[in-house]
Every structure is written in C-alpha cells, then in structure tokens.
C-alpha cells in the first residue's frame, strides 16, 4: 500500500493538535475527538503535555486514506521546542501548515514556511478557527501573501465567519488561475488565450504543489469539521506518496530517540530504501568523511562542546557502530504494531540499537541530517535541590540530551556545576518538571544567560616537534587555523600524506581538534573555520628483546590527544578570535504616533532598524537586535505603544560584540591556554589512569 509521511506544523495555539484529532476522527481511527483543554488528545501522551495543553514531543499516528497509509506526525508549535520540528522535516513527504484565522501569520509561521520553502517540501495551508469570533479570511489570505511571500492558491472561500455555522465553499477562482499561470508558461499562454480546461488547471495544481512551487490554501475549523473533508481530499490528491525501493540497500535516518519502560533505547527512523528485518545486524552512524581526508560540518553551532559535554555535538566526529535489531514496530490504524520487517517509505520504531543517536543513518547513509533552524542561544546552570544527588542529576540530564540533542549538557568539574543550553523559559520549566516527575529530582535554575560563539579573526599557525624543545609528548603536530565564511561550520584538512603515520593518530588529532574547538580563547565554541594539519610525526613502536611494547619509547594516541590542544590553542592565539553574540531579526508593528518614543529605546538596546514603513496609522519597523536585549524590548513595548505594539523576533545571525566588555565563559577543560596548568592536569589524569587495574 502506498505511504505518505505527513507533518502537521504551526505556531503554538493555531489548532494543530485539534486538526490532528479531527483528521483521525474523519478517517475512523478514533471514535471521539480528544480535547487539548481536557488533556484527552491522541498524540499528546505525556502527562506534562496534557497538563500544560501544549505539544512537547513529536508523535506519530497512522490512518488509512483511500488506499494510502498516512503516517501523521504532530509536532510542537511552541518555539522553545523547535528542535522537535527540525528532526521531523527530513523524514516527511508533505506537510500541512496550520494558521489561525484569528491571529493570522505569527513569528513561528514565518520561520516554518521559510524552511519548508527551502526544502521544497510540498505543503498545504489550512486556515483554522473560522468559527471563532474575530476570524478573517481575505485579510489573512492577504497577510499570508505579504508576510510569507510565497505563491498561494486559494482552494475556495469561507462563509459565516465567526459563527458555529462557518463553512468552507470549495472552488478555484481567478486568483488560483493567476498563481498557477505565474509558475507555468504553457498555462499562462492558455490563460491569455482566454480558456483553461478544468482538467488542465487541476493537473497543473497537483504538479506545482508536489514540486513545492505553490501552496493550496484551505479554510475551516478543526472543532466543527468545516473544511476538513476538502483538506483530506487535498492531502490525497495533491501530496506525493513516499518513494523508495524496498529491494535496494538499506538506508534510513533516525529522527527521534526515547527510553522504554526498562530504560532501553527506542529509535524512530524513516526508511528511504531497502527493508529492515528483526535480527538483522545493521550498521549505523555517519563518519562524515569526504574524499581527500577533509571533514566538513555545516551544521549550526551548538553549545558546550568539550570533553565534559553531552548532547548535540555539531563539531564532533560521528561515531559509527553496528547492532542487531531485536524488535520492530510499524504504524497502522492509529497505533504502532510489532512487525518482522518494514520496507522503504515506512516510519519504524527499532529496539536493540544501544548506541544510536538522533541523526544517525541506518545502513547506507542517505539523506544527511541537517540543522534547519537556529541553535539554542540561552544557557542556564541547573542547581540541585535538597537531597538531589549530583551524579543522578547528571545522568538524567544526559538521557534528556539523548532525546533532544540540542540540549547541550555542560559539566564544570572544578565548580561542580552542570549547565544546559535552551531555547527559552518554557523549555526550562519543562526540563524542571520532567526531572521531578520522571526522575524524582528537584532542581532550580540560575538566571538564564546568552550563549556566544567565537570566530577566528585571521590565520594562525603553530607546531611542536617530537623530542624537541619542551614537548613532553612523543608526537609532532602542526596546525593552521583559517577563518571560513559564516555558516560553513568546521572543516579538518590534511597537508601531509595520509600514509605518513598510522591512521589512528590522524583520527586522534581530528577528534581532539573538534573537541578543543568547543572552548576558544574566551571560553566559547569556535565556529566557521578550517583547521589544516601541516606537520606530523611519531616515534615508531619500540620493543626490547624478549619483552613487550615499550610505551615510554613509542607514540600512542594519548600523545596526539595530549599535544593537539596545546598546538591548536596557540594557533588560535596567533589568529585571534572575535566573540559574536546571537542577533535576532525583529518586525515591530505599532501606532505611527509612537515611532518617536520607540526609536531612542531601540537604539539604547542596541537594535538597528533597517526598514521603516507606514500604513495608515500603523508603522512597521524591521531590523536586528541583540538576543540578550529581546526580553527587555518585550517588557518595554506595551508601555511605549499603549499596548498596541506587536513584536516578532527570530534568530538571524551571530554579530561581533561591539558594546561593553567582551563576555567570557568559564573553562571546563584542562585549560591549554595555560601550558603549565594544562600539563599538570593532563599528567595527573594520565597517572590516575595508569594506577587503575589494567592501566
């Protein structure tokens, strides 16, 4: 049976989960529609989700649709949980973007649509809540066109707005024809000739929707069911089904990991090719290595990447592994059922892959896992409450980071503190409640701070030679650091012959480079740079007669792991680094007569207005503002605009810190900036390891 993996996306409170319930009811999967307010929805299964009335974790539920099995994925709408949405995007065949007919286009709506367009993911738009007081149709349609700036095809009109009798009147009007003709020269010629057959129009609609060129718009209400049958028909006729050869090589991507009742890992994966079977031993992971010894990582930076960090590791070399599948489930008729095998196109739950992580490839690497949204830009220290064991807390946070890899868990050994990176205050509350309810751990948090990054200011080179000067390690390492364009991530390259020393030593240098870049000269993660190995050397294996391997005379991976931070840090010191803070793009609507009061406040907060427009009695300001000042702007806005100001903000880029002192972050590594301190720490750790049994 054909498969369609469908995502439901929206700004928080647009009615996304209610629409999911209505679709399941329409398909006959559930007998009664659940209520978000009552905590009885099908996809919000966590107690915390039911209590708060928001979706926190993505959930998969299946229903049949005229010969097609639809795997419907309900995603969070709150921006604090955007990471859940991000992981789902790479496994979808199509999407429905839900917009409220009352609130219209909101900040998250724009973020989602920009990403859907970039991925060219076929997307239908459902304008929900036409039965609510204050519902609008033409105004929201106009807002969609202006703020989203995408080709829209109205699939009909709404009648009886703002009443329980509100309904959707299907029909393709002139606006639909114009939108389709703009994307199709042949259709445009037929349009200019004065006649376009209905079949030709609908064929163009299906083709342009499936390639992501246009977005059909439906009006309706998830509560009353208005417009939902027409939306269901659109899902069936306009969105493409899953492709993939079940007889080809196995290829899939893990987009979610959770813990089962016994603490075992359960991986959710989309299969793009091949067939997965119980008892198969499958490889997973992705080394990310390009030909020529270069490794590129173009993901957005995450936080706290160092030797004591757990969670998302944007610059970490991906570990590969293999394991045997012990159990398998597929989704069908509203639930997941055990299966012996699953083929291409399926979304599956897999047991037995103990070392699996979100983003891992199953079998042959297929679609790469990419970051589509901004990284977390906030950090807070987790403070254990009375009676809370610090080790238990660290383990619990580590497990949470497995399920949400953009929660970077950073442990500061000298201070005995653990911090986490977050998107916002709501996410902090959820982490606190989860620790209390699932792990029995009481915690509080310190004040949230902004996460910065460092970028190289120039080029720097350093080298230390084996058995020369004050190098205590049996290794030669030379490294050059060059700045790279923003957004390109970290690349590791070789200017030495790959065969000039054992590959394990190159791997030790590369892994340590990526680890060391987690803390630059000011303690922040270093991004957007190329690190090139310019010198290498080692002491060959030495043995005494009738004796074994002599570690004191032969290079080991320890020597390269110990020397690399010193060389890389010196190269960074010579290059210099600039600290960059996260900057948000803002859009502010306010009464025009308040502009004079707004501009000085924006300037005082470091905001830079880049465009100003006036529409009647309303002014619109667009520009950038430091992320650390967004909260202050939100607090002051009501008083400056008589409560009529509307502010949208979203992460845009990292900008050099130009105001005040350069922010510093306490180090959690062995501090290679201080050679004496570093060597004492490393030597002590090496001694402790040697004293252990088998050391």
């Amino acid at each position: 049976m054909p498969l369609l993996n469908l995502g439901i996306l929206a700004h928080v409170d647009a009615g996304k989960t209610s629409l999911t319930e209505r679709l399941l009811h329409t398909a006959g999967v559930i007998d009664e529609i659940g209520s978000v307010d009552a905590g009885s929805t099908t996809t919000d299964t966590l107690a915390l989700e039911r209590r708060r009335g928001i979706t926190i974790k993505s959930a998969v539920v299946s229903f049949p649709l005229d010969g097609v099995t639809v795997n419907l994925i309900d995603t969070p709408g709150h921006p604090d949980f955007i990471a859940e949405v991000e992981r789902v995007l790479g496994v979808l065949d199509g999407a429905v973007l839900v917009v409220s007919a009352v609130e219209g286009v909101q900040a998250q709506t724009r973020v989602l649509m920009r990403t859907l367009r970039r991925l060219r993911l076929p997307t239908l738009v459902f304008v929900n809540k036409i039965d609510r007081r204050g519902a609008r149709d033409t105004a929201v349609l106009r807002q969609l066109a202006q703020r989203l700036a995408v080709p829209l095809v109205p699939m009909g009109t709404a009648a009886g707005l703002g009443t329980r009798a509100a309904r959707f009147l299907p029909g393709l009007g002139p606006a639909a024809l114009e939108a389709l003709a703009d994307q199709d020269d042949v259709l445009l010629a037929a349009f200019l000739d004065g006649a376009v057959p209905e079949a030709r129009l609908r064929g163009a609609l299906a083709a342009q929707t499936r390639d992501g060129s246009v977005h059909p718009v439906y009006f309706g209400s998830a509560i009353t069911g208005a417009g939902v049958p027409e939306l269901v028909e659109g899902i069936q006729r306009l969105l493409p089904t899953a492709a993939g050869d079940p007889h080809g090589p196995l290829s899939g991507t893990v987009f979610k990991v959770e813990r089962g009742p016994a603490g075992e890992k359960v991986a959710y994966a989309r299969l793009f090719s091949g067939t997965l079977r119980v008892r198969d031993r499958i490889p997973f992971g992705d080394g990310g290595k390009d030909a020529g010894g270069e490794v590129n990582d173009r993901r957005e930076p995450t936080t706290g990447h160092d030797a004591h960090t757990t969670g998302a590791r944007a610059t970490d070399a991906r570990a590969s592994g293999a394991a045997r599948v012990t159990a398998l489930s597929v989704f069908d008729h509203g639930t997941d059922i055990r299966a012996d095998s699953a083929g291409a196109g399926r979304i599956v739950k897999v047991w037995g892959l103990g070392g699996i992580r979100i983003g891992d490839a199953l079998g042959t690497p297929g679609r790469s896992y990419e970051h589509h949204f901004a990284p977390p830009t906030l950090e807070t220290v987790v403070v254990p409450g009375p009676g809370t064991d610090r080790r238990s807390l660290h383990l619990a946070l580590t497990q949470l980071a497995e399920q949400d890899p953009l929660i970077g868990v950073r442990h500061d050994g000298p201070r005995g503190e653990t911090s986490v990176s977050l998107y916002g205050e709501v996410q902090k509350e959820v982490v606190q409640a989860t620790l209390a309810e699932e792990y029995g751990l009481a915690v509080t948090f310190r004040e949230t701070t902004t996460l910065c990054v460092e970028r190289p200011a120039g080029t720097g080179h350093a080298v230390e030679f084996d058995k020369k000067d004050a190098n205590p390690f049996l290794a030669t390492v030379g490294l050059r650091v060059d700045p790279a364009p923003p957004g390109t991530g970290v690349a590791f390259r070789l200017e030495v012959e790959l065969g000039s020393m054992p590959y394990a030593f190159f791997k030790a240098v590369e892994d340590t480079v990526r680890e060391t870049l987690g803390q630059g000269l000011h303690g922040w993660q270093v991004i957007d740079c190329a690190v090139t190995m310019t010198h290498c050397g080692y002491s060959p294996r030495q043995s005494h007669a009738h004796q074994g391997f002599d570690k004191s005379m032969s290079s080991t991976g320890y020597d390269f792991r110990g020397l690399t931070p010193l060389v890389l840090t010196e190269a960074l010191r010579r290059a210099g680094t600039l600290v960059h803070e996260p900057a948000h793009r803002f859009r502010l609507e306010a009464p025009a007569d308040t502009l004079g009061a707004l501009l000085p406040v924006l300037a005082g907060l470091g905001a830079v207005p880049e465009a100003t427009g006036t529409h009647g009695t309303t002014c619109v300001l667009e520009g950038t503002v430091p992320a650390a000042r967004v909260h202050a702007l939100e607090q002051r806005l009501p008083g400056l605009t008589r409560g009529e100001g509307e502010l949208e903000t979203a992460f845009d880029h990292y900008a050099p810190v130009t105001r005040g002192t350069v922010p510093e972050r306490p180090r959690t590594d062995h501090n290679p900036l201080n050679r004496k301190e570093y060597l004492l720490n490393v030597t002590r750790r090496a001694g402790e390891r040697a004293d252990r049994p088998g050391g």
Side-chain angles (χ1 to χ4, degrees):
M1 182 180 290
L3 294 160
L4 168 62
N5 296 300
L6 177 70
I8 306 292
L9 295 82
H11 187 96
V12 65
D13 289 336
K16 169 181 48 59
T17 300
S18 296
L19 178 60
T20 298
E21 290 291 307
R22 176 61 66 174
L23 290 172
L24 295 177
H25 183 265
T26 301
V29 171
I30 57 176
D31 296 326
E32 185 176 346
I33 296 175
S35 166
V36 173
D37 293 336
S40 57
T41 55
T42 305
T43 52
D44 286 343
T45 56
L46 299 177
L48 193 56
E49 291 178 314
R50 295 180 182 274
R51 190 167 66 250
R52 294 187 65 100
I54 60 172
T55 301
I56 297 171
K57 297 290 184 182
S58 57
V60 184
V61 65
S62 177
F63 64 88
L65 183 62
D66 289 345
V68 176
T69 296
V70 178
N71 288 325
L72 191 151
I73 307 178
D74 184 20
T75 62
H78 198 286
D80 280 14
F81 308 106
I82 193 68
E84 283 288 323
V85 182
E86 175 176 87
R87 294 192 286 274
V88 165
L89 290 176
V91 307
L92 298 179
D93 303 304
V96 174
L97 180 64
V98 185
V99 180
S100 169
V102 180
E103 287 83 11
V105 175
Q106 297 172 281
Q108 189 82 335
T109 315
R110 300 174 71 190
V111 170
L112 291 169
M113 180 55 88
R114 281 198 300 267
T115 307
L116 293 167
R117 291 285 293 177
R118 188 167 67 248
L119 297 174
R120 294 195 71 84
L121 192 67
T123 302
L124 311 181
V125 178
F126 185 71
V127 180
N128 191 27
K129 301 185 180 181
I130 64 171
D131 60 315
R132 292 272 300 276
R133 180 179 298 178
R136 303 161 294 159
D137 52 356
T138 55
V140 170
L141 196 59
R142 184 167 58 251
Q143 194 180 58
L144 285 166
Q146 291 174 349
R147 293 198 183 180
L148 301 183
V150 297
L152 303 170
V153 179
M155 300 299 292
T157 59
L161 286 169
T163 70
R164 295 286 293 183
R167 62 194 187 281
F168 178 61
L169 305 176
L172 294 176
L177 180 55
E178 290 176 12
L180 293 169
D182 282 344
Q183 311 292 322
D184 187 333
D185 291 340
V186 176
L187 188 63
L188 177 60
F191 173 54
L192 294 175
D193 287 341
V196 177
E198 179 78 8
R200 175 75 179 86
L201 188 62
R202 295 198 173 274
L205 174 64
Q208 292 185 32
T209 302
R210 286 172 183 162
D211 69 13
S213 298
V214 300
H215 305 284
V217 181
Y218 298 83
F219 292 87
S221 168
I223 298 299
T224 67
V228 174
E230 290 79 9
L231 175 64
V232 169
E233 183 182 5
I235 292 171
Q236 178 188 357
R237 297 184 181 278
L238 301 178
L239 296 181
T241 53
D245 179 9
H247 304 292
L250 178 66
S251 179
T253 299
V254 174
F255 66 94
K256 178 177 178 178
V257 174
E258 63 184 17
R259 292 273 176 173
E264 75 280 14
K265 279 189 178 181
V266 183
Y268 288 68
R270 160 75 189 267
L271 301 181
F272 295 104
S273 173
T275 298
L276 182 64
R277 299 177 178 85
V278 176
R279 292 183 293 280
D280 279 354
R281 184 172 178 82
I282 61 168
F284 60 84
D286 181 7
K289 185 172 288 296
D290 295 333
E294 179 173 341
V295 174
N296 284 286
D297 196 325
R298 293 183 171 83
R299 303 178 199 175
E300 291 285 356
T302 56
T303 57
H305 171 68
D306 53 58
H308 307 275
T309 298
T310 308
R313 301 185 177 187
T315 56
D316 190 15
R318 300 283 293 154
S320 297
R324 194 173 304 280
V325 176
T326 58
L328 198 64
S329 283
V330 298
F331 294 89
D332 198 11
H333 285 78
T335 186
D336 61 293
I337 56 176
R338 290 299 175 102
D340 293 326
S341 64
R346 281 281 190 184
I347 289 179
V348 294
K349 291 174 67 174
V350 188
W351 285 260
L353 310 182
I356 200 73
R357 293 190 296 176
I358 289 173
D360 278 346
L362 301 183
T364 305
R367 299 187 191 180
S368 60
Y369 175 72
E370 298 179 351
H371 286 310
H372 308 297
F373 301 112
T377 58
L378 302 173
E379 185 176 56
T380 184
V381 174
V382 185
V383 181
T388 296
D389 179 68
R390 290 180 181 271
R391 291 189 177 185
S392 298
L393 174 60
H394 187 68
L395 177 61
L397 288 170
T398 299
Q399 292 188 359
L400 290 183
E402 289 175 352
Q403 300 171 32
D404 187 349
L406 290 185
I407 294 181
V409 178
R410 186 174 189 266
H411 183 62
D412 186 339
R415 294 171 180 79
E417 296 177 349
T418 301
S419 58
V420 294
S421 53
L422 302 166
Y423 280 96
E425 296 299 314
V426 173
Q427 189 181 13
K428 185 197 294 185
E429 294 172 17
V430 168
V431 170
Q432 184 179 37
T434 303
L435 289 172
E437 295 176 8
E438 296 187 15
Y439 297 92
L441 302 173
V443 301
T444 57
F445 298 94
R446 290 198 193 147
E447 183 180 357
T448 302
T449 57
T450 303
L451 279 169
C452 299
V453 297
E454 295 181 48
R455 286 190 172 115
T459 295
H461 179 257
V463 61
E464 294 208 22
F465 294 96
D466 185 6
K467 301 174 184 175
K468 288 187 178 181
D469 301 323
N471 179 8
F473 301 101
L474 296 177
T476 293
V477 174
L479 297 171
R480 185 178 70 248
V481 176
D482 296 294
T488 53
V490 173
F492 181 79
R493 302 182 178 124
L494 298 179
E495 281 186 0
V496 293
E497 291 293 331
L498 189 59
S500 58
M501 67 178 186
Y503 173 73
F505 294 161
F506 285 113
K507 189 69 166 64
V509 172
E510 178 191 328
D511 289 353
T512 308
V513 162
R514 295 179 177 279
E515 182 178 297
T516 304
L517 289 174
Q519 299 185 71
L521 303 182
H522 300 278
W524 305 103
Q525 182 182 352
V526 181
I527 65 171
D528 298 334
C529 65
V531 179
T532 304
M533 192 169 186
T534 59
H535 297 75
C536 69
Y538 72 108
S539 295
R541 184 183 184 94
Q542 301 289 330
S543 300
H544 298 292
H546 310 296
Q547 295 182 13
F549 171 45
D550 188 347
K551 290 183 180 180
S552 67
M553 300 172 61
S554 311
S555 297
T556 65
Y558 160 79
D559 293 295
F560 288 91
R561 288 190 295 271
L563 181 59
T564 297
L566 289 173
V567 177
L568 180 58
T569 301
E570 182 58 30
L572 281 173
R573 199 196 308 264
R574 295 176 181 179
T577 63
L578 294 175
V579 176
H580 290 61
E581 62 182 340
H584 282 215
R585 178 154 294 279
F586 72 86
R587 184 181 190 279
L588 196 162
E589 285 191 19
D593 61 359
T594 65
L595 184 60
L598 279 170
L599 290 176
V601 172
L602 290 171
L605 294 173
V608 180
E610 298 172 354
T612 306
T614 303
H615 306 286
T617 60
T618 301
C619 68
V620 179
L621 295 174
E622 294 188 12
T624 59
V625 59
R629 313 294 201 292
V630 169
H631 185 59
L633 178 56
E634 290 172 339
Q635 288 183 315
R636 299 194 62 177
L637 187 62
L640 293 167
T641 62
R642 302 188 295 274
E644 298 178 42
E646 294 183 8
L647 178 67
E648 292 180 10
T649 66
F651 173 87
D652 189 69
H653 66 284
Y654 286 99
V657 175
T658 58
R659 299 158 57 95
T661 58
V662 175
E664 301 279 339
R665 191 188 199 195
R667 304 192 72 87
T668 61
D669 58 8
H670 296 314
N671 192 17
L673 287 172
N674 184 322
R675 186 182 185 92
K676 183 178 180 180
E677 177 185 338
Y678 175 82
L679 292 176
L680 284 173
N681 284 328
V682 172
T683 303
R684 183 167 59 250
R685 289 290 295 273
E688 291 171 357
R689 185 170 60 247
D691 290 339
R692 294 176 192 145

